[in-house]
Amino acid sequence: MNARIWLTGFEPFDHHIENPSQQLVQRLLHTSRTLHVEETATEPAFGPVELTFSGTILSVDEAGSRLSCEHLEGIDAVVHVGLHENSEKIRFEMCATNECNFRIADNSGRQISETTIVESGEPQLYTTVDRHSIANAFSGNDDVILSDDCGRFVCNETYYRTLHSIKDRELGLGAEALPAIFVHIPSFNHIPAESQLDILCTLCAYIVQKF
């Protein structure tokens, strides 16, 4: 099967000179990769899956958080990637919260607290990826955890806007919404870039499957 992935990373922010999410995503943008995924104890094998990556590097501000909502047509999945500077694991974020509460200013100088992202939106929106399948697929990988806290900074803002747009516009096929997930990654000191790249591509292959 062929699958078109809208993939984003972020520019450096705060004191960071580089952003690992930008470095990782730039290696995949405008490329294609073919994956064969082997059977596990809980998930069937599948493949080949040809992944074609489009997307961009987002600015760390409100404009960046909104940009992906303009690119949700003609794709098969959305994967946002951002740096979690305090994590040693790759975090698959299961939900986004309708609140901004910035500990630091974003790259536009905006620092807001207890502010609603979408005025009419629900308090939380959940990933449109099947949690059970992803949990099973990565259950044997110690580098990956599932998280229910995407923070309250621009990462969460971006994720919430994307999920809200998918729900509001009823994007997807039939009863299945367009798959979208946010992935928080640690620095490459904790998990090497090649390992993170492999996990990211495997995730993309799983979320476009119709089991």
Side-chain angles (χ1 to χ4, degrees):
M1 67 175 295
N2 298 318
R4 301 156 296 177
I5 311 296
W6 176 260
L7 181 68
T8 70
F10 284 100
E11 297 174 345
F13 64 99
D14 195 26
H15 63 279
H16 299 283
I17 298 173
E18 297 177 319
N19 190 325
S21 74
Q22 179 179 19
Q23 295 171 292
L24 205 65
V25 167
Q26 283 181 329
R27 292 180 59 178
L28 292 174
L29 287 181
H30 315 301
T31 70
S32 295
R33 295 198 174 206
T34 301
L35 272 73
H36 295 76
V37 178
E38 297 181 358
E39 183 178 2
T40 69
T42 55
E43 293 296 313
F46 59 83
V49 182
E50 184 173 347
L51 303 170
T52 301
F53 296 96
S54 62
T56 191
I57 303 302
L58 302 173
S59 54
V60 184
D61 54 20
E62 183 177 356
S65 77
R66 293 178 178 274
L67 191 146
S68 291
C69 297
E70 304 169 8
H71 298 273
L72 300 178
E73 305 279 357
I75 58 172
D76 299 298
V78 180
V79 179
H80 294 305
V81 185
L83 171 66
H84 193 301
E85 55 189 348
N86 297 320
S87 182
E88 297 181 4
K89 304 281 189 179
I90 295 174
R91 300 160 60 97
F92 294 165
E93 301 294 352
M94 296 292 101
C95 62
T97 301
N98 191 13
E99 181 185 40
C100 288
N101 196 6
F102 293 2
R103 176 179 55 84
I104 58 173
D106 69 11
N107 286 1
S108 71
R110 183 180 57 139
Q111 187 169 4
I112 52 180
S113 60
E114 299 181 357
T115 301
T116 299
I117 298 170
V118 178
E119 192 63 38
S120 60
E122 298 175 27
Q124 281 191 320
L125 290 175
Y126 293 88
T127 177
T128 46
V129 169
D130 185 77
R131 178 174 184 146
H132 179 73
S133 294
I134 295 303
N136 284 340
F138 289 90
S139 61
N141 193 319
D142 292 336
D143 288 332
V144 173
I145 60 173
L146 270 59
S147 165
D148 291 302
D149 184 2
C150 197
R152 299 295 185 274
F153 195 48
V154 179
C155 290
N156 174 73
E157 182 181 12
T158 301
Y159 195 17
Y160 189 91
R161 290 193 192 282
T162 295
L163 292 175
H164 182 268
S165 187
I166 289 170
K167 183 175 183 179
D168 190 53
R169 293 156 60 185
E170 299 181 342
L171 297 174
L173 293 175
E176 295 188 13
L178 177 69
I181 191 169
F182 196 103
V183 180
H184 262 133
I185 65 171
S187 77
F188 298 142
N189 293 329
H190 295 301
I191 302 175
E194 288 301 327
S195 298
Q196 296 205 35
L197 199 68
D198 288 344
I199 289 169
L200 186 60
C201 289
T202 302
L203 172 68
C204 290
Y206 267 105
I207 67 177
V208 296
Q209 295 302 308
K210 309 298 182 187
F211 295 124

